[in-house]
Amino acid sequence: DLAGVLAGKMELRMIASMALESELSLRETEQRFRGIANCAPVPLLYSRADGACLFVNQTWLDFSGRKLEEELASGWAELIHPDHRGRVLEEYWKALETLRPFSAEAPFRRHDGQYRWMLDKGAPRYRDDGSFAGYVGCLLDITDYRCDCGHLCPALVG
């Protein structure tokens, strides 16, 4: 009986140790991801499967001048100019419903209050088992590449 109790306790310790190792590995992976994302030269975000924003990188926060907590869920959409917000969100939700890539152009408010024309691009992301996990997206500042007519100008993109 004593040997059985000791064996059981050893097994529980081994399971607890493996769980701790797994948790530490997951934290390390998350830290590595955040480190890479925060070095990206463009604003990045990723969302859950329901479309709610889970993360924006430091470049996004530097652009917006806001705190991470303000950008989460649907807070990021507050940066879109009010005249364009409805259209962009409608396009986003349509893409989310069909699990298709997302793309929209709209002015986004920078930390200094100035609006910059951004190309908002998103792509569906999937888990290892193939299930939909949400979107990963980025903003590209295209303000300096727009013609007077409001479209991207090939001569300026050059």
Side-chain angles (χ1 to χ4, degrees):
D1 281 346
L2 182 59
V5 170
L6 289 175
K9 285 186 176 187
M10 287 176 59
E11 185 175 353
L12 285 175
R13 283 189 180 142
M14 186 175 71
I15 291 170
S17 176
M18 288 171 40
L20 180 60
E21 271 185 50
S22 180
E23 183 180 335
L24 292 174
S25 178
L26 185 60
R27 281 189 199 156
E28 183 180 312
T29 300
E30 177 74 15
Q31 287 174 342
R32 188 177 320 120
F33 162 76
R34 288 179 186 268
I36 291 168
N38 285 330
C39 290
V42 295
L44 298 175
L45 78 157
Y46 74 85
S47 73
R48 296 188 313 227
D50 66 0
C53 179
L54 285 174
F55 172 81
V56 297
N57 69 347
Q58 187 60 48
T59 307
W60 182 291
L61 297 175
D62 293 344
F63 175 83
S64 72
R66 294 166 26 127
K67 295 179 180 168
L68 175 63
E69 297 77 27
E70 295 175 282
E71 304 302 321
L72 300 180
S74 61
W76 65 272
E78 294 173 12
L79 298 180
I80 305 169
H81 191 283
D83 293 347
H84 299 265
R85 188 176 301 140
R87 173 185 53 81
V88 172
L89 290 176
E90 182 179 332
E91 290 176 29
Y92 176 67
W93 292 114
K94 282 181 186 177
L96 185 68
E97 288 174 3
T98 58
L99 307 183
R100 299 246 192 277
F102 166 78
S103 182
E105 293 179 24
F108 279 65
R109 188 181 63 248
R110 195 168 58 185
H111 61 87
D112 60 2
Q114 181 183 7
Y115 281 92
R116 302 289 294 177
W117 275 92
M118 306 298 273
L119 175 59
D120 186 359
K121 305 264 307 170
R125 60 187 182 88
Y126 296 90
R127 294 180 186 90
D128 290 340
D129 66 3
S131 63
F132 177 67
Y135 272 82
V136 61
C138 69
L139 296 179
L140 302 170
D141 190 335
I142 58 171
T143 305
D144 297 334
Y145 302 105
R146 293 175 56 87
C147 295
D148 292 336
C149 67
H151 298 288
L152 286 179
C153 178
L156 292 174
V157 175

